[in-house]
């Protein structure tokens, strides 16, 4: 099997599957069945119904996952960021159940299923990391179901921001300043809200100085306030309810 050798990059150091690409001296040994590729906004990594033959690690950028109902309606089921494992949905049936599209210029590393299978058989560390990634995906699904059924609009949106903050922190990125690469329409679809409701959440949180919004960039100024909202802070919830339904008060939010 032909191989090439390269030095480990900083992006690879936090990868969940780095054990498949690096030896103990941090030298990279990658076979033909593993590759790195660049994608652009709206490109699809794979579509529902396509054959499952590999998993992917998101190296940079962001992705949205979606399902399509029998009536042709798209339901966004998740967003993914650097360090996330992609393609785990194909293990059960041998076909992907979701469509993954890129939200911006992004790069992924592909690991063929045949090589992954061999690596799991030979490495308890890689096997553990893959199972850990699957567990994380299941836990995110549980959180999504909880948010959908047990939270009001303000709690859902605050939880959404906190989940992003936690994810970025776990990846060694800023937990307080980050960009929303997804559109308001995508956020609304994911959270089960109207687009206008998402705009009102952004407006009110900025008005209260809980966050600062500059186009797509979010700066969390008071993370405890977001936790209070998720836990049922009645004052914040009432303020959201009292917001007018047809107006947005801040130009930066309107432009987002």
């Amino acid at each position: 099997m032909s191989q090439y050798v390269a030095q480990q990059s900083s992006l690879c150091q936090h990868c969940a599957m780095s054990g498949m690409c690096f030896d103990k001296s941090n030298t990279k040994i990658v076979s033909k069945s593993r590759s790195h590729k660049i994608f652009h906004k709206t490109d699809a990594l794979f579509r529902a119904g396509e054959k499952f033959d590999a998993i992917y690690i998101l190296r940079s950028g962001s992705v949205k996952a979606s399902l399509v109902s029998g009536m042709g309606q798209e339901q966004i089921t998740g967003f993914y960021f650097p360090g996330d494992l992609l393609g785990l949905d194909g293990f059960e049936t041998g076909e992907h159940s979701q469509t993954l599209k890129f939200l911006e210029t992004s790069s992924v590393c592909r690991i063929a299923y045949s090589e992954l299978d061999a690596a799991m058989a030979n490495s308890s560390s890689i096997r553990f990391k893959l199972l850990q990634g699957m567990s994380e995906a299941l836990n995110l699904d549980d959180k999504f179901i909880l948010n959908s059924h047990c939270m009001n609009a303000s709690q859902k949106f605050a939880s959404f921001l906190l989940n992003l903050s936690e994810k970025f922190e776990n990846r060694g990125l800023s937990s307080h300043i980050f960009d929303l690469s997804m559109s308001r329409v995508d956020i609304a679809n994911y959270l089960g809200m109207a687009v206008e409701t998402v705009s009102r959440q952004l407006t009110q949180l900025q008005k209260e100085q809980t966050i600062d919004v500059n186009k797509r960039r979010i700066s969390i100024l008071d993370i405890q306030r977001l936790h209070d909202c998720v836990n049922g802070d009645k004052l914040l919830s009432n303020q959201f309810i009292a917001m007018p339904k047809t107006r947005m008060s801040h130009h930066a939010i309107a432009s987002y």
Side-chain angles (χ1 to χ4, degrees):
M1 183 178 292
S2 64
Q3 298 175 324
Y4 70 86
V5 177
Q7 292 303 308
Q8 183 175 14
S9 74
S10 59
L11 289 172
C12 298
Q13 292 176 5
H14 300 289
C15 176
M17 305 300 290
S18 61
M20 291 191 65
C21 301
F22 295 92
D23 61 22
K24 293 181 180 180
S25 64
N26 285 335
T27 298
K28 189 173 186 179
I29 305 176
V30 182
S31 69
K32 284 185 177 179
S33 57
R34 278 172 274 172
S35 61
H36 172 239
K37 188 175 180 180
I38 304 294
F39 292 87
H40 299 286
K41 185 176 181 179
T42 73
D43 286 348
L45 179 61
F46 51 76
R47 298 181 184 276
E50 290 185 357
K51 181 182 177 181
F52 166 69
D53 59 3
I55 66 166
Y56 305 84
I57 302 100
L58 186 58
R59 185 181 174 94
S60 65
S62 54
V63 176
K64 69 174 179 180
S66 64
L67 301 170
V68 177
S69 71
M71 300 180 66
Q73 295 179 319
E74 180 188 48
Q75 173 60 57
I76 295 174
T77 58
F79 300 104
Y80 299 95
F81 301 93
D84 283 338
L85 293 174
L86 309 175
L88 299 178
D89 61 316
F91 276 101
E92 181 182 8
T93 64
E95 293 184 350
H96 290 291
S97 61
Q98 303 181 92
T99 295
L100 264 63
K101 289 186 177 182
F102 294 92
L103 296 168
E104 58 189 317
T105 299
S106 307
S107 63
V108 300
C109 294
R110 178 184 183 275
I111 301 176
Y113 175 67
S114 57
E115 187 168 3
L116 177 66
D117 190 38
M120 287 191 295
N122 296 323
S123 171
S124 60
S125 174
I126 289 174
R127 186 166 58 248
F128 172 77
K129 287 181 179 179
L130 182 63
L131 292 173
Q132 189 177 45
M134 291 179 170
S135 178
E136 180 181 9
L138 289 171
N139 288 334
L140 288 174
D141 287 343
D142 289 342
K143 286 183 180 180
F144 177 70
I145 293 172
L146 176 66
N147 291 351
S148 298
H149 294 282
C150 302
M151 292 183 176
N152 60 33
S154 60
Q155 289 174 310
K156 285 183 184 180
F157 193 76
S159 179
F160 173 70
L161 293 180
L162 288 172
N163 287 341
L164 287 179
S165 173
E166 180 181 0
K167 180 181 284 286
F168 291 136
E169 183 176 28
N170 290 340
R171 298 294 187 267
L173 304 171
S174 173
S175 61
H176 285 71
I177 301 175
F178 48 83
D179 292 335
L180 295 179
S181 54
M182 67 291 290
S183 67
R184 284 182 297 159
V185 174
D186 286 341
I187 296 172
N189 181 299
Y190 176 65
L191 296 177
M193 299 179 183
V195 178
E196 294 80 8
T197 304
V198 171
S199 297
R200 289 199 301 273
Q201 308 308 309
L202 286 165
T203 300
Q204 184 63 24
L205 287 171
Q206 173 148 292
K207 181 180 178 181
E208 296 172 342
Q209 298 184 345
T210 302
I211 65 173
D212 180 66
V213 183
N214 184 7
K215 296 183 179 179
R216 292 183 181 273
R217 174 144 297 184
I218 300 294
S219 299
I220 298 178
L221 306 177
D222 188 347
I223 197 165
Q224 184 58 50
R225 185 65 166 155
L226 289 177
H227 283 289
D228 290 343
C229 180
V230 172
N231 293 330
D233 186 312
K234 294 183 178 180
L235 176 60
L236 188 57
S237 298
N238 289 336
Q239 286 174 331
F240 276 122
I241 293 170
M243 285 291 293
K245 293 186 177 181
T246 59
R247 298 176 65 104
M248 290 190 296
S249 62
H250 196 277
H251 175 70
I253 297 174
S255 66
Y256 169 65

